[in-house]
Amino acid sequence: MSDTAGLHEDEDRATLARRGPGRQAAGAGRAVGGDVLRRGGTSGDGRGANGRGRWTNFLNRADGRDLRTGYLMVAPVALVVVAVNALTNLADIAKVATWEPWVWEGTSALAIVGLALWIPWLATAAASPEDALAQGWRPKLRFAAVHLTALLAYSGLHVAGFVWLRKLAYAAMGAETYVFGDRFIYELRKDLISYAVFVGLFWLIGVLRRRRDEPVRPVSFDIRDGGRIIRAPLSQIVAVSSAGNYVEFWLADGRRPLMRATLAAIEVELERFGFVRAHRSWLVNAGAVTGLRPDGSGDWTVELGALEAPVSRRYPQALERLRTSG
């Protein structure tokens, strides 16, 4: 397990020493007789959770290897489609030059593969089909907005690309200027099908890649608390909360070591092993859930033994995962 760089400079150790063992950092919760006093997260970690954390998750999804794999799979299929469609047009259209169907189909395939294929890849990374299945209307609305925008961009780039290429090809063949006309809606309907296929393809490629890259689950996680390293079993880490420029690990044995890091960075390390971002200031171990209860207005509280942590309505996917794990 990799460590977070830049942990505990000398001045940070001095800050910890001044705080003393009996004080907690801002944003932490305290278990007292099964109840938890929850304080608001710091503005610094909020930026990390809502800004860097989202970008980190997006970049993890938008893996360039998926796009390369997509190209390798789509390109040979496109050649077959070009050949079949061009030969079909030659057979079905009586008065057409032999080269024209090949130009039509070839420029369309080239515009998709060469210009527009990255759009469904990026849109799938931004809003995967799994997001549309999340509880609540916000993930579904976001999924629809992302893919509607991406579809229009994909179709627009596809049409602009093949029109430009066809004009060049017709000029090179000494034929009359190619005229596209007002057929964009017709092309958009066809592009809707190919776009949906590509979204499904990139989603499947991403799922298979993540399964292949999934490391063997580690037994423990190294927590750098000041000048010492605490090797905590993952099953004993109940939750992680933000504490200013630190994160606080809530261990099953009652210890609460601090580590200088952002919650977003720890989330990247632990999310593959069953830890769920339930709140901008909380990361909880789904395997340690003992109960869930509603707090009203869409917010929930997750019970982790004696510890309780908030589940924000802004994280509907987290609530769904905690429900199935608890």
Side-chain angles (χ1 to χ4, degrees):
M1 179 69 66
S2 62
D3 297 323
T4 305
L7 306 179
H8 291 284
E9 288 96 335
D10 292 339
E11 61 271 23
D12 301 319
R13 294 173 185 161
T15 301
L16 282 173
R18 288 195 299 273
R19 186 199 308 165
R23 299 178 63 187
Q24 297 295 316
R30 185 188 303 277
V32 182
D35 296 328
V36 175
L37 173 63
R38 296 193 296 268
R39 300 175 184 171
T42 63
S43 58
D45 186 71
R47 288 192 299 269
N50 298 327
R52 285 186 304 237
R54 290 179 181 176
W55 275 107
T56 299
N57 291 336
F58 171 71
L59 292 175
N60 285 341
R61 281 183 173 184
D63 195 301
R65 292 173 294 177
D66 297 349
L67 182 59
R68 290 193 295 270
T69 302
Y71 277 125
L72 292 176
M73 297 177 67
V74 171
V77 175
L79 291 176
V80 174
V81 171
V82 166
V84 171
N85 288 347
L87 292 173
T88 300
N89 286 333
L90 283 172
D92 292 345
I93 303 176
K95 297 180 179 180
V96 63
T98 304
W99 56 270
E100 281 190 282
W102 295 97
V103 168
W104 300 339
E105 300 300 329
T107 54
S108 178
L110 189 58
I112 288 177
V113 177
L115 295 176
L117 190 60
W118 62 272
I119 294 177
W121 163 71
L122 203 61
T124 304
S128 74
E130 296 163 340
D131 296 341
L133 301 177
Q135 188 180 32
W137 59 270
R138 290 179 184 272
K140 296 177 177 59
L141 181 61
R142 180 178 179 277
F143 177 86
V146 168
H147 286 284
L148 177 59
T149 303
L151 170 63
L152 293 175
Y154 167 83
S155 186
L157 194 56
H158 173 216
V159 170
F162 75 62
V163 168
W164 180 72
L165 290 172
R166 288 175 190 179
K167 287 182 179 294
L168 292 179
Y170 273 64
M173 296 300 297
E176 294 182 1
T177 302
Y178 174 78
V179 178
F180 175 68
D182 57 353
R183 293 185 292 116
F184 179 74
I185 299 300
Y186 168 76
E187 294 293 338
L188 179 62
R189 290 199 300 266
K190 294 196 301 180
D191 285 338
L192 173 60
I193 298 174
S194 64
Y195 178 84
V197 169
F198 291 144
V199 167
L201 175 65
F202 284 121
W203 172 77
L204 180 59
I205 291 172
V207 169
L208 295 177
R209 172 185 53 78
R210 286 189 291 272
R211 288 182 179 177
R212 182 192 64 213
D213 294 346
E214 187 73 23
V216 176
R217 181 182 174 90
V219 177
S220 61
F221 180 82
D222 289 346
I223 303 171
R224 291 184 176 273
D225 185 8
R228 62 176 179 155
I229 295 178
I230 299 174
R231 185 151 292 169
L234 285 175
S235 60
Q236 295 300 304
I237 301 176
V238 177
V240 188
S241 62
S242 63
N245 293 326
Y246 298 81
V247 292
E248 186 169 18
F249 289 81
W250 295 75
L251 304 185
D253 60 10
R255 289 179 296 165
R256 297 195 290 272
L258 288 167
M259 178 173 172
R260 183 171 176 80
T262 65
L263 195 61
I266 300 302
E267 179 184 8
V268 171
E269 296 282 352
L270 296 180
E271 66 178 348
R272 296 171 293 175
F273 309 116
F275 286 77
V276 180
R277 186 64 167 268
H279 186 273
R280 70 171 187 169
S281 302
W282 283 87
L283 186 68
V284 301
N285 187 344
V289 173
T290 57
L292 280 164
R293 69 170 187 269
D295 288 342
S297 301
D299 293 330
W300 288 67
T301 291
V302 58
E303 299 172 357
L304 305 155
L307 176 67
E308 295 181 350
V311 182
S312 172
R313 62 182 177 273
R314 297 171 185 254
Y315 294 82
Q317 291 176 306
L319 178 60
E320 189 64 29
R321 287 187 59 185
L322 294 175
R323 276 176 168 168
T324 57
S325 299

